[in-house]
Amino acid sequence: MAASSKKFQKKKSNEGKPKFNKASKKQFKTKKDGAVKSEAVALQLEDDVPDFPRGGGSSLSKHERDEIRAEVDAEFEAEELASKKNKRKKSQKKIQAMPDDLGSLFGDGITGKLPRYANKITLKNISPGMKLWGVVAEVNEKDLVISLPGGLRGLVRAGDALDPVVSNKVENNEGDFLKNIFYPGQLVSCIVLQLDDDKKETGKRKIWLSLRLSLLHKGFTLDAVQEGMVLTGYVISIEDHGYMLHFGLSSFTGFLRKDGHAESKDVEVRTGQFLQGVIKSIDKTRKVVNLSSDPDTVSKCVTKDLKGISIDLLIPGMLINASVRSTLENGIMLSFLTYFTGTVDMCHLQNKFPNKNWKDDYNQNKKVNARILFIDPSTRAVGLTLNPHLVHNKAPPSHVNIGDIFDQSKVVRVDRGFGLLLEIPSKPVSTPAYVNVSDVAEEEVRKLEKKFKEGTQVRVRILGFRHLEGLSTGILKASAFEGPVFTHSDVKPGMVVKAKVIALDSFGAIVQFPGGVKALCPTRHMSEFEIAKPGKKFKVGAELVFRVLGCKSKRITVTYKKTLVKSKLGIISSYAEATEGLVTHGWITKIEKHGFFVRFYNGVQGFAPRSELGLGPGDDPNSMFHVGQVVKCRVTGSSPASRHINLSLQMRPVRLSEDDMVKLGSIVSGVVEGLTSSAVVINVNSKAHLKGMIFNEHLADHHERAALLKSILKPGYKFDQLLVLDIEGNNIVLSAKFSLISSAEQLPSDISQIRPNTVVHGYVCNLIETGCFVRFLGRLTGFSPRSKVTEFL
């Protein structure tokens, strides 16, 4: 009893601390206090979300910990001998728990009990402070997308890509400076800053990374570096004979001679760029290390076994000499640099197509070259890679594209309860692909080994690609080969697709295409008319026909408006497609007094002026149309450079008889539409639906009366008589001056109508020191010298 009580106290004191590896996670069975002990052990050993066994973090000594593990294993073996039935149940539970075991990290060093599984980074166990090796997958204006181990993806903000001392020196810092420094396929070392829950997708987490060398090289000193070591530095300045490098530290700098740098003809070295080099000499007086960056030398340079090296000096991407210590369930364990051990999971073995006998290739004490894949300082867990491309300091090439279909892919290995490893017959070389057990068939497959045999051929479609492992992911489900949409790249604006409603919210409905791609149907597009409760129209699980409105990046929006879905007219998805005369459907997004805006596909929009809406004099557009309404319109003009499109709801240009045309010098009536600081906007009463303008000085014959009239005018006021002074397209210049209206018939519009010594009416349009200009109808203008107008001045 005393021994049993002592065990319980030790376990209880360790609650809340990191857990042991799965190999020793077996519960105690005691005759007394069994329930209490089981509960305590369950709290300690629960592995729904595996934690990291903390090397040196336990209050137990190594001897005590080994005793507990040994007793647990002994009791578990006794259970197995006692009941075959219980053994089968435990075996099934063990298989189900494997994914979590694969995600746990073990870092007990070269002493203690060996783990069963290789370390593997997952969303559950990744944490701030981890150092990871990655491949640049995307270079954007404001961030970088990094492909990480295990198929994870991380983001690097522009401000975290460089140390401030370097970013201040980078030219064109406000532009696309990231594209001048980084490129897709570039290997980089990074450190995890934080993890955020993705608000867009439940259960997803955003991994924020930093490439700052000040964080990666923290702990480095001039005494710690030695000749033959590979270091990465920023180019902080370009000199005549070489490049000054900054390692994120103030204790020393670097210099790389140009004759020691194999510069590519196509790549120009820029300030802020990352360069790798091998230390050739160390000048401790000047605190400068001299390097050579010959790619062949850098790729073959092995980290030396330094006395007293700490885990802080390990950097992802380091090349090391290692020896096989043991084979694990899903990889191998290696020992390196005397003090350290690391594991290699099956995705990073030397053979990219490891079959079921892969363990035969890794005998104990076999010597191999490996590179560091990740380091977790908190658990002292280290991941390594034997991938030939990565060992040679190059990212694995990609020979497949997402969505590609391969009919004759060979099954290389069947992992019971997990999935299939396939050999894809890509060109010029084959590509490994892994198919998860959930993607092998429409129905649940409980026994993969019976349904699939090694060496058989299957039809697979590529789901994704892990850039760091050079491993593609695939799917065998029959539904993956149906329908026009499988990936985001398949989605095109205007395409009609069938999708299933999977969620409803206040902002709209989330729908899913047969291939698995998701899209948003905004609330305004869930019906031809606005509906208060979308749930009455849309039901989760319902399959409906939609039309794609836009696809920006991976954000897809669709519409369920019947007029748009069933429209046979051409679409406008770019300003270049808005050719004059094109008739199409769009939907109103904003209504103003002088017209409304119409939205098309991919965010393109145009404007329909009031004169093209077919409204009568005094009609209010807001009373005739509503936001969200689908309208049929015609393109009357466009300017792709300025992103302008002019529209009309009149399908054909209005053809007017000469009697209906507004002529220069004619008298018309109109209604005030609006007022500006310099003029009054008039809707002219005519079949042409023209718009006119009365400048302030033309409201009356005298300025005082014109100002008074302007102050009392309001929209809707009717002018019975207005003189057409000028016509500019569909807009006309009007005058309300009584003196001009009464003499409209005598106003000349052409110089041929003017005779010497005849008296004609006009209006002063401009004054200069030597005289004044007099305007008649149209642009006909005369000049009167100052000596001839003295009686009027």
Side-chain angles (χ1 to χ4, degrees):
M1 286 297 296
S4 176
S5 176
K6 184 178 181 180
K7 278 193 301 179
F8 172 70
Q9 290 174 358
K10 287 179 180 178
K11 284 181 168 290
K12 188 172 182 181
S13 67
N14 209 29
E15 285 183 10
K17 294 187 178 182
K19 309 163 191 173
F20 295 122
N21 187 265
K22 183 69 177 178
S24 60
K25 294 185 180 178
K26 313 299 175 190
Q27 293 188 1
F28 290 101
K29 277 192 175 182
T30 57
K31 295 179 180 179
K32 296 182 180 182
D33 298 330
V36 177
K37 291 176 67 177
S38 296
E39 181 179 357
V41 174
L43 287 173
Q44 177 192 355
L45 303 178
E46 177 184 350
D47 63 341
D48 286 340
V49 182
D51 289 337
F52 307 148
R54 308 282 176 174
S58 174
S59 61
L60 302 179
S61 67
K62 173 182 176 299
H63 178 70
E64 291 172 327
R65 189 165 65 248
D66 289 344
E67 281 186 348
I68 293 174
R69 288 174 173 168
E71 184 173 351
V72 172
D73 290 342
E75 293 193 46
F76 177 68
E77 291 174 2
E79 289 179 16
E80 289 184 317
L81 295 173
S83 173
K84 291 184 178 181
K85 183 177 180 180
N86 289 341
K87 182 180 178 181
R88 286 195 299 269
K89 290 182 179 180
K90 289 179 179 293
S91 178
Q92 292 175 356
K93 291 180 180 179
K94 186 166 59 178
I95 290 174
Q96 294 174 353
M98 268 189 188
D100 284 341
D101 299 338
L102 294 176
S104 61
L105 297 188
F106 188 88
D108 274 356
I110 61 174
T111 62
K113 193 176 181 73
L114 294 177
R116 291 182 61 187
Y117 304 107
N119 290 325
K120 187 175 181 180
I121 296 296
T122 68
L123 276 176
K124 290 183 178 181
N125 63 27
I126 193 170
S127 62
M130 280 188 177
K131 296 178 181 180
L132 308 166
W133 208 20
V135 176
V136 177
E138 296 177 21
V139 181
N140 304 312
E141 183 178 349
K142 296 182 180 180
D143 59 35
L144 302 171
V145 180
I146 309 296
S147 179
L148 301 173
L152 301 181
R153 288 165 72 89
L155 296 171
V156 180
R157 299 182 180 92
D160 292 317
L162 303 172
D163 277 293
V165 67
V166 179
S167 61
N168 293 335
K169 294 179 175 290
V170 174
E171 297 179 2
N172 194 23
N173 201 21
E174 296 180 357
D176 295 343
F177 79 97
L178 290 178
K179 294 183 179 179
N180 294 329
I181 299 174
F182 302 96
Y183 57 89
Q186 180 179 357
L187 287 166
V188 291
S189 299
C190 45
I191 187 168
V192 180
L193 292 179
Q194 65 184 67
L195 294 97
D196 295 337
D197 291 331
D198 196 333
K199 297 179 181 178
K200 297 174 185 175
E201 294 189 50
T202 306
K204 296 287 186 179
R205 305 182 76 187
K206 283 187 176 180
I207 305 171
W208 294 102
L209 308 168
S210 174
L211 303 184
R212 292 187 178 185
L213 296 181
S214 58
L215 299 177
L216 289 163
H217 291 164
K218 188 177 181 180
F220 271 65
T221 62
L222 189 60
D223 294 331
V225 298
Q226 293 189 10
E227 291 182 11
M229 181 182 287
V230 176
L231 279 181
T232 299
Y234 308 108
V235 177
I236 197 169
S237 67
I238 301 175
E239 309 297 335
D240 293 337
H241 301 290
Y243 311 101
M244 292 296 298
L245 301 183
H246 184 74
F247 303 109
L249 306 168
S250 58
S251 55
F252 64 94
T253 58
F255 183 75
L256 176 64
R257 294 185 61 85
K258 288 186 177 180
D259 55 14
H261 172 63
E263 184 176 339
S264 172
K265 296 180 180 179
D266 300 327
V267 180
E268 178 187 356
V269 176
R270 300 173 181 268
T271 303
Q273 185 175 328
F274 284 79
L275 287 182
Q276 268 191 328
V278 179
I279 299 177
K280 292 298 183 181
S281 63
I282 301 174
D283 187 341
K284 293 193 175 183
T285 304
R286 298 170 56 202
K287 296 182 179 181
V288 175
V289 294
N290 296 297
L291 303 98
S292 170
S293 68
D294 176 64
D296 189 57
T297 304
V298 171
S299 65
K300 294 179 180 178
C301 191
V302 179
T303 303
K304 294 180 180 179
D305 195 352
L306 305 176
K307 184 178 180 180
I309 187 173
S310 69
I311 197 168
D312 293 333
L313 297 183
L314 298 183
I315 301 295
M318 274 185 171
L319 182 64
I320 55 171
N321 287 324
S323 60
V324 177
R325 189 176 177 209
S326 65
T327 56
L328 310 175
E329 294 289 336
N330 68 323
I332 59 176
M333 173 175 273
L334 304 176
S335 59
F336 65 98
L337 296 180
T338 305
Y339 308 100
F340 299 99
T341 59
T343 58
V344 181
D345 72 63
M346 292 182 67
C347 293
H348 285 274
L349 296 177
Q350 290 172 322
N351 182 4
K352 61 181 180 180
F353 299 106
N355 56 27
K356 63 180 180 181
N357 300 319
W358 63 269
K359 292 185 180 181
D360 296 342
D361 297 331
Y362 299 96
N363 297 323
Q364 192 170 12
N365 297 322
K366 178 182 179 180
K367 304 298 182 182
V368 294
N369 282 339
R371 286 193 185 271
I372 297 177
L373 197 61
F374 65 83
I375 308 113
D376 181 27
S378 62
T379 64
R380 301 182 66 81
V382 179
L384 303 170
T385 179
L386 302 180
N387 183 295
H389 293 284
L390 294 178
V391 169
H392 286 88
N393 208 28
K394 295 180 181 179
S398 172
H399 301 299
V400 297
N401 296 313
I402 296 176
D404 285 351
I405 297 174
F406 295 91
D407 293 321
Q408 297 180 332
S409 300
K410 185 173 71 175
V411 177
V412 176
R413 192 181 71 246
V414 180
D415 294 333
R416 183 182 175 187
F418 288 100
L420 309 172
L421 178 66
L422 307 179
E423 182 178 349
I424 304 295
S426 57
K427 301 295 182 181
V429 295
S430 298
T431 300
Y434 201 85
V435 181
N436 191 279
V437 64
S438 61
D439 291 323
V440 298
E442 302 292 345
E443 68 282 354
E444 182 182 0
V445 178
R446 294 187 177 181
K447 294 185 178 181
L448 279 176
E449 62 276 11
K450 288 189 176 182
K451 188 175 179 65
F452 299 95
K453 300 296 181 182
E454 294 180 3
T456 58
Q457 293 185 338
V458 294
R459 190 181 191 216
V460 64
R461 191 164 195 175
I462 304 301
L463 273 178
F465 189 77
R466 298 182 177 183
H467 295 274
L468 191 64
E469 286 90 354
L471 176 71
S472 57
T473 55
I475 185 170
L476 306 184
K477 289 182 177 179
S479 60
F481 304 95
E482 302 171 356
V485 176
F486 182 73
T487 65
H488 291 86
S489 60
D490 297 328
V491 181
K492 307 297 179 186
M495 70 187 306
V496 178
V497 292
K498 193 174 184 179
K500 181 187 291 186
V501 179
I502 61 173
L504 294 170
D505 212 317
S506 58
F507 52 78
I510 304 297
V511 301
Q512 188 174 42
F513 303 145
V517 176
K518 297 177 183 178
L520 170 67
C521 182
T523 305
R524 287 189 180 274
H525 282 275
M526 293 173 70
S527 174
E528 198 76 34
F529 304 98
E530 189 172 350
I531 50 179
K533 296 182 179 180
K536 290 185 177 181
K537 185 75 175 179
F538 281 61
K539 299 291 184 182
V540 174
E543 291 189 351
L544 305 171
V545 178
F546 299 89
R547 193 163 196 175
V548 177
L549 294 177
C551 43
K552 185 178 182 181
S553 185
K554 292 187 177 180
R555 300 179 181 179
I556 302 171
T557 53
V558 296
T559 181
Y560 188 63
K561 290 182 181 289
K562 294 299 182 185
T563 305
L564 293 176
V565 174
K566 296 182 178 181
S567 175
K568 303 297 182 183
L569 300 176
I571 69 165
I572 299 176
S573 59
S574 68
Y575 287 93
E577 295 176 355
T579 56
E580 187 173 347
L582 176 66
V583 177
T584 185
H585 279 116
W587 60 98
I588 300 172
T589 57
K590 185 179 181 182
I591 301 175
E592 298 180 348
K593 290 183 179 179
H594 57 283
F596 55 64
F597 291 91
V598 179
R599 181 70 60 85
F600 301 106
Y601 297 85
N602 244 13
V604 177
Q605 70 175 10
F607 183 74
R610 190 186 192 285
S611 59
E612 297 292 341
L613 303 183
L615 299 178
D619 289 342
D620 184 7
N622 280 287
S623 64
M624 306 298 292
F625 303 95
H626 63 85
V627 173
Q629 179 180 344
V630 178
V631 293
K632 185 178 180 181
C633 50
R634 176 175 58 88
V635 177
T636 59
S638 67
S639 175
S642 58
R643 300 165 67 89
H644 286 158
I645 300 176
N646 298 322
L647 304 168
S648 174
L649 299 194
Q650 300 171 12
M651 294 304 101
R652 295 181 180 178
V654 179
R655 295 181 179 179
L656 303 173
S657 64
E658 291 189 6
D659 294 336
D660 295 326
M661 295 290 290
V662 174
K663 298 179 181 179
L664 202 63
S666 61
I667 304 298
V668 298
S669 61
V671 179
V672 176
E673 180 185 283
L675 293 86
T676 67
S677 60
S678 60
V680 178
V681 181
I682 302 292
N683 284 320
V684 179
N685 295 331
S686 70
K687 292 184 179 181
H689 299 290
L690 299 175
K691 185 179 292 187
M693 187 169 291
I694 308 175
F695 291 100
N696 292 346
E697 55 270 21
H698 276 277
L699 286 172
D701 282 315
H702 302 284
H703 288 289
E704 294 80 5
R705 289 189 179 183
L708 179 62
L709 181 59
K710 177 70 180 293
S711 65
I712 61 175
L713 279 178
K714 293 181 180 179
Y717 179 85
K718 295 182 180 180
F719 283 92
D720 293 327
Q721 288 187 318
L722 294 169
L723 174 65
V724 179
L725 288 177
D726 197 5
I727 299 176
E728 299 175 352
N730 290 334
N731 295 316
I732 58 179
V733 178
L734 303 169
S735 177
K737 288 180 177 288
F738 179 75
S739 59
L740 292 178
I741 294 173
S742 59
S743 58
E745 295 182 359
Q746 288 81 38
L747 290 174
S749 59
D750 189 85
I751 195 169
S752 61
Q753 298 173 346
I754 299 177
R755 301 278 191 276
N757 299 319
T758 57
V759 177
V760 291
H761 292 274
Y763 61 94
V764 176
C765 65
N766 193 17
L767 289 172
I768 60 175
E769 186 177 354
T770 58
C772 67
F773 291 93
V774 179
R775 177 74 52 84
F776 304 102
L777 297 179
R779 295 291 176 177
L780 184 62
T781 307
F783 178 74
S784 177
R786 184 184 184 115
S787 59
K788 302 292 184 180
V789 296
T790 52
E791 59 184 285
F792 301 104
L793 299 179

